[in-house]
Amino acid sequence: MEDLSPEISLPLRKKYLEVPKSIKHATGIRIHGKLIRSIIFTTDVVAIRNNDADAIMAVYPFTPQPVITQSITFVADKPVMMGVGGGTTQGKKVVNLALHAEFQGALAVVLNAPTCDETVREVCQTIDIPIIITALNSDVGSRIENGAHVVNVSASSQTPQVVHEIRKMFPNLPIIATGGPTEESVLETIQAGANAITYTPPTIADMMKEMMYKYRNGK
């Protein structure tokens, strides 16, 4: 479907990170009235402020810290899905981090794949925002039974297949999934049953390298 909406782009802000155009074919997930199709996967505050995605997914490979949650939600100008642990960080700590994320205005919390079902249940009983559980395979039944509202499929090249299997078992379950590096891989994931797509942008360092190359060559 052709996008006929008018666009305003002022000179100093016309450059921004663009998500793959094929994501527009996703049905989207509506959370508290906000329709989410495209989700940029980053914790870089520069990327968070300069992109055209519908939402931010902020998950990182360290123990979650409230000051990081506060910083990201403060900088973001769109909804944030905040990682609160579940891998290295387990138990009551995850519950407390999820509650803090809600207090800081996160749209949803993201639990890592190793999170035990008991922790999922405790988080569900504590907060009043959606729980997104990361899934590496199609074995998600107990996650949903214990309170997860959305599944975030991250299964590398097997993602479309895993999404398809989950969709067959749970026709109405909201599914987020990694879309891969190309427009074609994004479409494949959507056609498999994903409602929304996460996109990992190039690093700011790589973008700076490209910019400096142009500067050095007088462009």
Side-chain angles (χ1 to χ4, degrees):
M1 184 174 63
E2 186 180 0
D3 185 0
L4 300 177
S5 55
E7 180 178 355
I8 297 173
S9 181
L10 301 182
L12 296 182
R13 297 200 182 188
K14 64 182 180 181
K15 184 176 177 61
Y16 52 85
L17 289 164
E18 297 183 72
V19 301
K21 299 254 188 297
S22 50
I23 294 179
K24 67 183 179 183
H25 295 289
T27 60
I29 300 169
R30 196 173 294 278
I31 302 177
H32 295 158
K34 297 177 176 65
L35 182 62
I36 309 295
R37 289 191 179 94
S38 57
I39 304 162
I40 194 166
F41 185 87
T42 184
T43 54
D44 189 305
V45 294
V46 177
I48 286 170
R49 286 293 296 190
N50 294 276
N51 68 81
D52 66 349
D54 298 322
I56 310 296
M57 183 176 286
V59 179
Y60 49 96
F62 308 105
T63 297
Q65 300 175 46
V67 69
I68 295 176
T69 299
Q70 182 177 355
S71 300
I72 289 174
T73 53
F74 176 77
V75 167
D77 58 355
K78 56 194 65 180
V80 175
M81 301 170 174
M82 195 72 218
V84 294
T88 303
T89 310
Q90 289 278 357
K92 192 65 176 178
K93 180 79 170 178
V94 176
V95 178
N96 291 337
L97 287 165
L99 187 60
H100 179 269
E102 179 183 5
F103 289 164
Q104 291 299 320
L107 179 74
V109 296
V110 183
L111 298 177
N112 291 337
T115 308
C116 67
D117 289 340
E118 182 182 355
T119 298
V120 175
R121 185 167 62 252
E122 288 182 13
V123 172
C124 180
Q125 292 169 350
T126 303
I127 65 174
D128 192 38
I129 56 177
I131 298 169
I132 301 169
I133 185 73
T134 300
L136 308 180
N137 54 54
S138 59
D139 184 17
V140 298
S142 66
R143 325 302 253 155
I144 298 164
E145 290 172 4
N146 282 280
H149 304 93
V150 183
V151 169
N152 172 41
V153 179
S154 182
S156 189
S157 61
Q158 297 301 307
T159 294
Q161 178 182 338
V162 172
V163 169
H164 179 67
E165 291 170 359
I166 294 174
R167 179 56 70 214
K168 284 196 300 183
M169 292 185 290
F170 303 97
N172 300 313
L173 177 68
I175 299 175
I176 298 170
T178 54
T182 67
E183 298 282 357
E184 291 73 22
S185 62
V186 169
L187 274 176
E188 182 184 5
T189 306
I190 292 170
Q191 290 165 357
N195 303 106
I197 297 292
T198 58
Y199 167 69
T200 302
T203 67
I204 299 303
D206 286 340
M207 295 183 70
M208 280 299 300
K209 187 186 299 183
E210 180 182 345
M211 181 181 290
M212 293 307 296
Y213 176 82
K214 290 179 180 178
Y215 287 170
R216 293 187 194 103
N217 288 275
K219 298 180 181 179

